[in-house]
Each structure stands twice: as structure tokens, then as C-alpha cells.
Amino acid sequence: MNELIEKLEQLKKVIRQEDVIVSFLEQKKKTLSDSSLVSKIEKYQCEASDYLKKEIEQSPSFLAYKEKETEVNLFILEINQRFKAIRQEFGCRKEG
């Protein structure tokens, strides 16, 4: 069991170093430092309006963040596909 935990920790370390993850985290930091966008989001949380939502969604910071988020989601999909292939290769499927 300790070996499995160790391998998972190694995997997490490798994933954190992937360019797509590093890029996403950098963009997230930039987006959260955009005071204008953060202000609009806070205002939207208090009083939702279509106009404010549209402004947020059209913000360059927000669009860049969403683009990076999509890249991360594709990366996760790729990882899941690899795990699925490994699972099939080793026959670790539940019978029943």
C-alpha cells in the first residue's frame, strides 16, 4: 500500500510540472489579480445580471483563463484514456 501511495505522489509531482498545468496556474494567478474582473465577479455574486455576466465572459483575462482551463480538461481526458488502456491491459475490471 505504501508503494502505491508513493507512486501516486510521484505522479502528482510529474503532473504539477506539466507545461499545461504550469501555464494554467500562471493564468489563474493573473486572472485573479485582475481587480476589475474580480470586482465584477463579486458584484455578480451579489446581484446577478445578464449584462454583468456578459462583461465578465468577454473579459480578456477571463477568456484566457477559460482557454487554459479547456487545455487542462483535455489533458485530464488524455490521462483518463491512458488509465483506461492500462486498466484493460492488466484486466483490473470488476466482474459482475
Side-chain angles (χ1 to χ4, degrees), residues 15-91:
I15 288 172
R16 280 187 209 111
Q17 295 172 349
E18 284 291 321
D19 290 341
V20 68
I21 301 300
V22 171
S23 177
F24 169 76
L25 293 173
E26 288 172 356
Q27 184 57 50
K28 180 180 176 182
K29 189 175 181 178
K30 287 179 190 175
T31 301
L32 291 175
S33 68
D34 181 344
S35 58
S36 172
L37 177 61
V38 171
S39 175
K40 288 175 186 177
I41 292 171
E42 289 171 350
K43 187 175 179 182
Y44 181 79
Q45 289 174 337
C46 292
E47 52 182 88
S49 77
D50 289 337
Y51 173 76
L52 205 49
K53 181 179 179 180
K54 197 172 196 173
E55 271 192 27
I56 292 167
E57 291 175 340
Q58 292 177 348
S59 163
S61 264
F62 183 78
L63 291 172
Y65 172 80
K66 293 304 282 182
E67 181 180 332
K68 297 298 180 184
E69 182 183 53
T70 300
E71 291 173 8
V72 168
N73 287 333
L74 291 172
F75 178 69
I76 291 168
L77 178 64
E78 181 182 338
I79 290 172
N80 285 336
Q81 288 173 337
R82 288 183 185 181
F83 278 139
K84 184 178 179 181
I86 290 169
R87 209 173 34 246
Q88 288 176 349
E89 185 178 316
F90 288 99

Side-chain angles (χ1 to χ4, degrees), residues 90-96:
F90 288 99
C92 296
R93 289 181 257 156
K94 259 189 171 178
E95 297 293 325

